[in-house]
Amino acid sequence: MIFYFHPGSSLFKVLGNGIIEVAGSLDFETDTSYSLTLKATDSGSLNDTTGVVISVTDVNESPSFIGAPYSATIAENDAAASVVTVAATDP
């Protein structure tokens, strides 16, 4: 039995035993699921097609600062001054 995606997929591969594995980098923020068409062909050239939906779950990723590192200069006797504004994103 030969398994293959039609059309092909750069993010997933199917092994000869029918196991589907990840072959590329998945990102929940880009795509939350993938709809694939899988074909199976036997030694007599008969085939069948089925749909496969793979859902991606979100993983808590570390935030990252925008514009870091930060620095500021402040007068020694200016106790109420705003020193610096920082910003971060949380993917």
Side-chain angles (χ1 to χ4, degrees):
M1 187 75 59
I2 298 172
F3 297 101
Y4 59 97
F5 293 114
H6 182 72
S9 173
S10 61
L11 296 176
F12 301 97
K13 64 181 177 181
V14 60
L15 306 179
N17 59 3
I19 294 175
I20 297 172
E21 293 184 336
V22 175
S25 180
L26 306 180
D27 182 16
F28 177 84
E29 284 75 23
T30 303
D31 288 301
T32 59
S33 68
Y34 298 88
S35 296
L36 306 167
T37 301
L38 183 65
K39 284 192 160 189
T41 303
D42 67 11
S43 60
S45 296
L46 297 176
N47 62 63
D48 195 12
T49 303
T50 190
V52 177
V53 176
I54 299 173
S55 298
V56 180
T57 58
D58 196 12
V59 174
N60 188 13
E61 299 163 306
S62 299
S64 53
F65 283 100
I66 301 169
Y70 301 97
S71 65
T73 303
I74 188 165
E76 66 179 330
N77 57 355
D78 194 355
S82 294
V83 177
V84 65
T85 300
V86 299
T89 61
D90 190 7

